[in-house]
Amino acid sequence: MTLRVLFAGRPEDREVWSAALRAAAERAGERFALETDPARVDPAAVDVMIVDPKGPVRDFGPYVNLRAALSMWAGVEALLANPTLKAPLARMVERGMTEGMTEYVVGHVMRIHLGMDAHLFAPPGRWDPTPPPLARQRHVAVLGLGELGAAAAEALARLRFVVHGWSRRLRDVPGVICRAGPEGLEETLRAAQIAVLLLPATPATAGIMDARRLALLPRGAAIVNPGRGALIDDDALLAALDSGHVAHATLDVFRHEPLPPEHPYWTHPRVLVTPHIASATRPDTAAEALVAQIGRIARGAPPLHVVDRAQGY
């Protein structure tokens, strides 16, 4: 039986995604019927849905035969909050997203490590020939060692940083000092001259970087957050920045996006705001991952990266 797949993304994305999915299916030798307009499909006939949380499908109740929902995003909290979605939900894992996140993390960690902002924004005539330390003298912590965090941590380790990694369950990442649990988190933060936040957004991680945990960082530490905005207690971070305990924060994600123009992050001298650009789902590479998932389902296998609803990721 040919699977019927519905692309439930935003209407303006249908053309590019349809082309990418068809091309990937042809390369992989997979066959399925692809639909791109939910209004023109019998919901009961849909086997697999590729879903954008901001797309047109908000009520999954009529999709009574749905075998899997494949998220277009790595973050799945919006879909998990939808009580009408009962089918297995798989988060997006694709090489373009992983490469993009790794490049963002490495780029900004290197920028902070080398002290480039002091040169970029130095007044004319300022000449300070003090060299930065070597990477092997700098301790970087990556909180969250999933697909994205593990890849970023490995890349930093290959550059000879002393990399500490923390996750809820103990992981084994080559070249990384891995810890888990509450005590492991505290030990990791105490070592973190630069802390990179790549945890998922769950009830357990909401506000994880609060005043108490920010105080565990060495004085003068920096934070890079390309993970989720809800990981940080914003008032606590602003207080830590004002006191100088945290020397700098590069922030790509926020509780409310776009970040409101009046938010103090925009004008704080120790904050760099980037507009949620750390990584993105790229149609050409994501289509390959989606087609592979559809092929698994067609052959009776479960999709990969299925979300554990109890854990939230």
Side-chain angles (χ1 to χ4, degrees):
M1 183 186 72
T2 301
L3 287 185
R4 195 164 191 185
V5 177
L6 173 62
F7 173 79
R10 289 169 289 187
E12 62 268 27
D13 294 335
R14 289 172 185 169
E15 185 175 349
V16 65
W17 276 92
S18 176
L21 287 162
R22 294 183 195 282
E26 184 175 354
R27 290 193 299 271
E30 299 286 356
R31 294 181 177 274
F32 52 86
L34 179 64
E35 304 288 346
T36 61
D37 186 352
R40 301 180 65 178
V41 177
D42 175 8
V46 175
D47 298 300
V48 178
M49 186 185 300
I50 299 168
V51 57
D52 182 335
K54 292 187 176 180
V57 176
R58 305 297 172 90
D59 181 5
F60 296 89
Y63 296 87
V64 292
N65 294 310
L66 192 64
R67 294 166 63 176
L70 308 179
S71 175
M72 295 173 65
W73 296 4
V76 292
E77 58 269 23
L79 290 172
L80 287 178
N82 188 324
T84 69
L85 179 57
K86 307 297 185 182
L89 170 64
R91 56 191 170 83
M92 175 61 73
V93 175
E94 60 101 358
R95 60 187 176 89
M97 180 182 293
T98 302
E99 291 170 12
M101 181 62 77
T102 298
E103 291 168 12
Y104 181 96
V105 169
V106 169
H108 285 287
V109 167
M110 288 297 294
R111 182 190 116 247
I112 294 165
H113 165 66
L114 295 173
M116 293 306 298
D117 288 5
H119 303 292
L120 289 168
F121 305 111
R126 181 179 178 272
W127 183 268
D128 181 1
T130 306
L134 296 173
R136 60 181 171 81
Q137 298 170 307
R138 181 82 71 184
H139 291 251
V140 180
V142 178
L143 305 189
L145 294 175
E147 296 285 338
L148 301 180
E154 283 193 66
L156 291 166
R158 287 195 295 271
L159 290 169
R160 295 182 292 278
F161 287 101
V162 183
V163 182
H164 305 254
W166 182 84
S167 52
R168 190 179 64 85
R169 291 189 296 267
L170 190 61
R171 304 293 181 98
D172 182 11
V173 181
V176 178
I177 303 164
C178 295
R179 301 185 184 92
E183 291 183 2
L185 177 57
E186 293 191 3
E187 191 175 354
T188 299
L189 290 173
R190 288 192 179 98
Q193 294 171 300
I194 303 174
V196 179
L197 311 183
L198 280 171
L199 292 162
T202 71
T205 63
I208 193 168
M209 295 303 293
D210 56 13
R212 185 180 72 82
R213 293 194 178 96
L214 288 167
L216 295 174
L217 295 169
R219 184 170 183 82
I223 289 174
V224 179
N225 185 20
R228 313 303 289 172
L231 300 176
I232 291 177
D233 179 329
D234 294 322
D235 290 339
L237 177 57
L238 286 165
L241 288 162
D242 288 342
S243 73
H245 186 78
V246 173
H248 176 82
T250 292
L251 307 175
D252 186 61
V253 287
F254 308 91
R255 292 175 183 272
H256 303 287
E257 295 184 2
L259 186 66
E262 66 276 10
H263 198 286
Y265 282 151
W266 282 113
T267 55
H268 200 288
R270 296 183 176 183
V271 174
L272 172 64
V273 170
T274 61
H276 205 141
I277 57 168
S279 193
T281 305
R282 292 165 167 81
D284 55 344
T285 51
E288 295 175 355
L290 290 167
V291 166
Q293 292 275 57
I294 293 165
R296 287 180 59 87
I297 296 165
R299 288 182 281 277
L304 300 173
H305 316 299
V306 172
V307 175
D308 181 335
R309 293 176 184 271
Q311 299 297 333
Y313 60 92

